[in-house]
Amino acid sequence: MTIEGVPDIAMFRDNTAAFIHELPADAIANVNGDSNYVRVQVLTNAGGLNRDKQIAVVGRLTELIAAAAGNPPPPERIWVLLTEAIEGGWGLWDHAHTNAELVDAARSRLAAHGS
């Protein structure tokens, strides 16, 4: 939320989340058989991250994972995949929203809270 620069409102707090799927070491490998990788997928609405924000998100997530307790992989083994939902492909509240609809929803929630 900080890097994307969205308002600190429930709409964004409730829909910004992390999901961790831990796999057994033998479930993944590169062609050399190495399995000490972490893959992070970031899903945003279309155009949600400009180039500077893309670089910032990848850098920050890589830093967080590389500094994690235990035995984190080196930064070159941390893959951050930036994925954009297609226009109309961000589903919230039982509706597939376009970017304009998301912006309108955020503005109405900000107005309702006097922010």
Side-chain angles (χ1 to χ4, degrees):
M1 284 180 57
T2 301
I3 292 170
E4 193 171 5
V6 297
D8 186 9
I9 58 175
M11 174 184 169
F12 294 113
R13 287 191 312 270
D14 293 344
N15 293 290
T16 300
F19 304 92
I20 299 170
H21 305 275
E22 188 170 357
L23 300 172
D26 63 353
I28 59 171
N30 66 11
V31 296
N32 294 322
D34 301 319
S35 61
N36 62 338
Y37 284 85
V38 170
R39 183 182 68 190
V40 178
Q41 183 173 9
V42 177
L43 177 62
T44 64
N45 61 304
L49 300 174
N50 65 22
R51 185 65 181 142
D52 289 339
K53 291 177 182 180
Q54 291 171 342
I55 292 167
V57 166
V58 170
R60 184 68 180 123
L61 290 172
T62 300
E63 289 170 5
L64 286 169
I65 294 164
N71 189 22
E76 62 272 11
R77 297 246 172 118
I78 300 169
W79 300 350
V80 181
L81 309 175
L82 303 178
T83 306
E84 293 184 342
I86 60 168
E87 181 72 13
W90 193 267
L92 296 174
W93 316 304
D94 197 33
H95 180 75
H97 293 275
T98 65
N99 286 345
E101 290 169 336
L102 287 170
V103 169
D104 288 344
R107 286 182 179 147
S108 75
R109 281 164 176 74
L110 281 168
H113 291 94
S115 299

